[in-house]
Amino acid sequence: QNAELARQVLADTPSAARDLILVNAGCALYVADQAATITDGMAKAAEALASGRAAHLLERVRALTHA
């Protein structure tokens, strides 16, 4: 169930889980000085999902850890 939820979020499927992840990521990016505001961080995270960058990064990590 968790893996399916992760796949849906990485596929940028609208859901409450996706929204919560965007808020969390927005806060993390703001605290890490990678975004001017939490809203800006959320927009950056949303773009990472929409562009497929987040899914691609997960695949790279998976390949490295299973090499």
Side-chain angles (χ1 to χ4, degrees):
Q1 189 177 28
N2 288 339
E4 178 57 30
L5 181 61
R7 279 190 284 278
Q8 289 175 1
V9 169
L10 289 170
D12 202 26
T13 303
S15 68
R18 177 189 171 277
D19 293 345
L20 288 172
I21 288 169
L22 290 178
V23 170
N24 190 312
C27 290
L29 290 169
Y30 174 71
V31 169
D33 288 326
Q34 299 300 307
T37 65
I38 293 172
T39 302
D40 181 45
M42 290 173 64
K44 288 180 179 196
E47 172 57 28
L49 287 176
S51 70
R53 284 193 328 261
H56 178 70
L57 179 59
L58 178 61
E59 287 304 316
R60 286 180 52 202
V61 169
R62 184 180 298 156
L64 288 172
T65 60
H66 290 98

